[in-house]
Amino acid sequence: MLGEAQRDRRMARARLDVFSGGIDAAIERFSLAGSSNLVVVEWQGSDAELFARLERLAKECPHSTRVLVIGHRNDVGLYRALLARGVSDYAVAPVGVVEFFAIVARIYSDMGDTAIGSTVALIGASGGVGSSTVAHNVAWAMAAELDTDVLLVDADVAFGTTGLNFNLEAKHHGVLDALQQTGRMDEEMLERLVAKPHARLSVLSAPATLEAGYELDWSHFERAMDVARARAGYTLFDLPHSWNNGVRDLLKVVDQIVVVARPELAALRNCKNLLAYIASIRPNDPSPKLILNQVGVPRRAEIKPTEFARAAGRDLDVVLAFEPALFGTAANNGQLIGQFARNSRASHTFIQTASMLVNGSKPANRAQRKSRLGRRILGLKP
């Protein structure tokens, strides 16, 4: 299990050493080289022997070291006895990778009250599918409708559209400055680089200039991500339709991924490839959210949503209808759908999508919404 955990994205910044020999080997190792921040030991012997070895282990570890014991008995008495001796937690084998990370998070939950925000990457399965439009409108819905602090990062340095869609002044090109100033990045500097189209929404926009080539190295942006997670409940990355090390690195480290496609063959092929690749680098994470956009273009031969989902091998999380007049007018006005037409079907879909990312609830389809409305009319619970 620990070997598999070592390869997980959550361990990207951690060093995990796995060795055999039990507590005795750990005591010998730590007496020579110092202990780790967290020690995980597996035990199958008697309680008395375990307590004795833990006493010896404690002499080789500083007070700050946390200890997790994995045993083979579901025994409340043993659990309480271990906690009384300073052990951080006790788990019954077998322990899965995801369960292991949950236990570690629980062990370190008392280290401070600072909230750590969540990160979301939105990527299009092909060019022109509207992933940026989805990202911008979902970010607005999170801030304006769900009252959540959001940071939107436009990662398409050369062709990003946040400046246009949010009607920002040309001087704002914060994402490039953030990458260049990463060594000195702190909350005060980040605040100077962002634009604020809404009280709860900050935007690191792109310069959208072709004066030079740009290769985003997300390792340089690591500090900015840490600052962003401390200041915003959600950081949304609007990824360009390109495939490079920066994009792949970001897809590996974010908390959630949203893939946007439209009902055509090329997008379906790319979508399947993306989903397979993401599953290979994130084996212990849920599948990305899948949004099918621009559905119902007149006189266009398109794949039906049900057939698209069947071919992709998974359900669609959101389906967005093709509404060129609504989206075109809002874009020309430099407004989001939630500003221009707050009560429109598209606006409600973006709010539901935002809620799905924040609360984990899948947007209701039209039949479900009608059913809930009817139950409210009858005075029943939704």
Side-chain angles (χ1 to χ4, degrees):
M1 178 272 295
L2 290 179
E4 184 180 353
Q6 194 170 23
R7 297 186 294 272
D8 191 273
R9 65 177 180 86
R10 300 169 184 85
M11 300 297 292
R13 297 191 190 181
R15 175 183 171 183
L16 178 61
D17 294 324
V18 181
F19 53 92
S20 60
I23 300 179
D24 290 335
I27 293 170
E28 181 179 356
R29 182 185 182 96
F30 295 153
S31 66
L32 300 174
S35 72
S36 305
N37 295 325
L38 173 65
V39 179
V40 182
V41 297
E42 185 174 5
W43 183 258
Q44 297 189 58
S46 70
D47 294 355
E49 292 177 347
L50 173 60
F51 299 153
R53 282 172 169 78
L54 288 175
E55 288 290 341
R56 291 171 53 206
L57 179 65
K59 296 177 182 179
E60 305 297 338
C61 299
H63 181 71
S64 59
T65 298
R66 312 295 175 95
V67 177
L68 166 63
V69 176
I70 298 177
H72 292 259
R73 293 191 355 251
N74 189 0
D75 188 330
V76 174
L78 173 60
Y79 171 73
R80 291 174 176 170
L82 288 172
L83 292 188
R85 285 168 169 78
V87 171
S88 302
D89 208 339
Y90 173 79
V92 180
V95 176
V97 174
V98 175
E99 183 184 357
F100 171 71
F101 288 130
I103 294 171
V104 173
R106 186 167 65 243
I107 289 174
Y108 285 95
S109 63
D110 62 345
M111 291 191 65
D113 297 327
T114 302
I116 300 298
S118 180
T119 52
V120 183
L122 293 95
I123 186 170
S126 58
V129 300
S131 60
S132 291
T133 298
V134 172
H136 302 170
N137 280 281
V138 168
W140 178 268
M142 280 183 172
E145 301 294 340
L146 302 185
D147 203 28
T148 300
D149 289 320
V150 181
L151 173 65
L152 174 63
V153 180
D154 190 342
D156 193 348
V157 177
F159 300 103
T161 56
T162 46
L164 295 174
N165 286 349
F166 286 93
N167 198 23
L168 303 177
E169 296 181 15
K171 66 177 182 180
H172 287 295
H173 45 83
V175 67
L176 189 58
D177 290 337
L179 287 168
Q180 294 172 342
Q181 302 294 333
T182 182
R184 298 186 293 130
M185 180 60 64
D186 56 23
E187 188 168 348
E188 183 178 348
M189 176 173 285
L190 184 62
E191 189 65 30
R192 291 200 303 267
L193 296 178
V194 299
K196 298 279 292 185
H198 184 276
R200 305 300 294 268
L201 175 61
S202 302
V203 178
L204 274 174
S205 58
T209 177
L210 304 180
E211 294 178 358
Y214 303 98
E215 177 67 29
L216 296 183
D217 185 343
W218 289 104
S219 65
H220 296 162
F221 200 56
E222 210 167 29
R223 173 59 183 162
M225 285 182 64
D226 289 341
V227 175
R229 289 171 70 104
R231 78 186 294 276
Y234 284 84
T235 300
L236 271 61
F237 292 92
D238 176 16
L239 297 185
H241 180 62
S242 59
W243 196 244
N244 52 48
N245 290 334
V247 170
R248 289 197 294 268
D249 289 345
L250 193 66
L251 290 177
K252 188 173 182 178
V253 301
V254 293
D255 299 310
Q256 298 185 72
I257 299 174
V258 178
V259 176
V260 182
R262 62 185 176 193
E264 62 182 16
L265 187 59
L268 174 59
R269 179 203 63 187
N270 295 348
C271 180
K272 293 175 66 175
N273 290 341
L274 261 177
L275 293 176
Y277 174 78
I278 292 169
S280 70
I281 63 173
R282 301 165 63 98
N284 303 307
D285 288 85
S287 298
K289 304 294 188 294
L290 180 55
I291 296 179
L292 193 62
N293 192 25
Q294 302 174 11
V295 174
V297 175
R299 295 186 296 278
R300 180 181 74 178
E302 63 183 30
I303 304 172
K304 294 181 179 179
T306 53
E307 295 175 356
F308 192 99
R310 188 180 305 112
R314 52 151 301 158
D315 293 337
L316 301 173
D317 294 287
V318 179
V319 176
L320 277 162
F322 179 67
E323 298 184 77
L326 174 64
F327 283 86
T329 305
N332 288 337
N333 291 344
Q335 292 180 297
L336 284 305
I337 300 300
Q339 297 172 285
F340 177 71
R342 185 172 181 267
N343 293 320
S344 64
R345 177 176 60 175
S347 176
H348 289 304
T349 301
F350 286 129
I351 294 171
Q352 292 173 330
T353 304
S355 179
M356 173 182 67
L357 295 174
V358 173
N359 303 316
S361 57
K362 186 174 179 179
N365 59 35
R366 180 178 296 182
Q368 289 171 326
R369 289 196 296 270
K370 286 183 177 180
S371 173
R372 292 175 183 175
L373 176 61
R375 293 178 68 85
R376 285 197 296 270
I377 292 174
L378 294 172
L380 302 174
K381 292 183 179 180

